[in-house]
């Protein structure tokens, strides 16, 4: 999830939207999957949430501050409004969007640079029950929304290689 509230504020979009640890853990075990939960560094999980995580082996709190080093190792992304999905689009893998608190977020936290529905190429879940439904959908058809993902990736990424740093360096040294 993206940043909400003030720095180091508690974050709870899980229980509020039907995140049942046991049900989700059982589902993940059955599918031989692991759900890594990565919060924005400015938000912190509640002690009760962290305690619940210790009881479920297929739900893991991702503690590394920089997820970009491992982003390509994930088969699917579940996110709300985080810009990380723009980078994940380069992989053209399934993305499930979770705008559970869209109205509240727009009113109390941030605004968007683009119209959310126009730049989010994937299903929009209304709660964690929907997330499970969409994970199943992508297990059955990982190519669903592929064309939409590619269209949005083309809109936001001129280059899709690993030479951006080289191009930036060349531009900077060209100015000197």
């Amino acid at each position: 999830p993206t940043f909400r509230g003030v720095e180091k504020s508690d974050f709870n979009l899980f229980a509020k939207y039907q995140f049942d640890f046991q049900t989700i853990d059982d589902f993940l075990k059955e599918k031989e999957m692991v759900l890594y939960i990565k919060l924005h560094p400015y938000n912190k999980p509640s002690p009760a949430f962290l305690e619940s995580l210790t009881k479920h082996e297929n739900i893991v709190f991702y503690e590394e501050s920089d997820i970009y080093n491992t982003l390509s190792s994930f088969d699917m992304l579940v996110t709300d409004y985080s810009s990380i999905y723009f980078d994940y689009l380069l992989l053209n893998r399934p993305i499930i969007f979770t705008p559970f608190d869209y109205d509240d977020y727009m009113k109390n936290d941030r605004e968007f640079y683009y119209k959310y529905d126009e730049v989010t190429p994937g299903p929009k879940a209304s709660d964690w029950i929907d997330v499970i439904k969409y994970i199943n959908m992508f297990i059955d058809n990982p190519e669903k929304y592929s064309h939409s993902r590619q269209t949005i990736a083309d809109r936001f990424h001129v280059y899709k290689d690993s030479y951006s740093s080289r191009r930036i360096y060349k531009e900077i040294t060209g100015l000197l």
Side-chain angles (χ1 to χ4, degrees):
T2 196
F3 174 56
R4 286 175 178 71
V6 296
E7 187 173 353
K8 302 301 179 201
S9 61
D10 287 338
F11 183 81
N12 189 3
L13 271 185
F14 296 95
K16 187 175 179 180
Y17 294 96
Q18 301 180 25
F19 188 94
D20 180 87
F21 281 95
Q22 194 59 56
T23 300
I24 292 175
D25 194 55
D26 290 344
F27 167 79
L28 295 167
K29 282 179 189 172
E30 177 188 323
K31 300 296 181 180
E32 298 180 352
M33 301 174 84
V34 175
L35 174 65
Y36 291 89
I37 296 175
K38 168 79 171 96
L39 299 182
H40 190 282
Y42 282 178
N43 290 125
K44 64 177 184 174
S46 70
F49 183 81
L50 289 174
E51 174 65 25
S52 293
L53 282 178
T54 63
K55 300 173 186 172
H56 299 91
E57 59 190 65
N58 290 66
I59 306 170
V60 177
F61 187 70
Y62 189 93
E63 296 188 53
E64 295 294 320
S65 61
D66 185 2
I67 196 169
Y68 285 94
N69 293 327
T70 58
L71 192 60
S72 65
S73 65
F74 298 101
D75 297 317
M76 195 178 301
L77 177 69
V78 178
T79 188
D80 57 0
Y81 320 112
S82 175
S83 63
I84 195 169
Y85 86 87
F86 286 108
D87 299 312
Y88 196 76
L89 284 171
L90 292 170
L91 301 170
N92 198 8
R93 294 182 189 160
I95 303 172
I96 300 169
F97 293 93
T98 57
F100 301 158
D101 64 340
Y102 180 86
D103 292 332
D104 186 57
Y105 182 83
M106 290 293 289
K107 180 180 175 187
N108 298 314
D109 286 292
R110 316 273 175 279
E111 58 185 46
F112 297 118
Y113 296 112
Y114 304 97
K115 292 181 180 176
Y116 185 75
D117 287 331
E118 291 180 10
V119 296
T120 49
K124 313 303 185 281
S126 59
D127 56 29
W128 286 97
I129 294 168
D130 274 356
V131 171
I132 291 173
K133 176 179 76 174
Y134 292 132
I135 290 172
N136 273 321
M137 177 190 75
F138 281 128
I139 289 170
D140 292 340
N141 183 4
E143 296 305 311
K144 188 154 181 88
Y145 292 96
S146 179
H147 179 73
S148 299
R149 290 191 302 266
Q150 193 60 54
T151 299
I152 299 300
D154 290 345
R155 178 176 170 185
F156 289 98
H157 296 286
V158 174
Y159 301 102
K160 296 180 180 118
D161 56 27
S162 59
Y163 301 112
S164 291
S165 294
R166 182 180 296 171
R167 282 187 288 276
I168 291 169
Y169 175 79
K170 186 176 177 181
E171 286 294 319
I172 291 171
T173 57
L175 295 172
L176 299 176

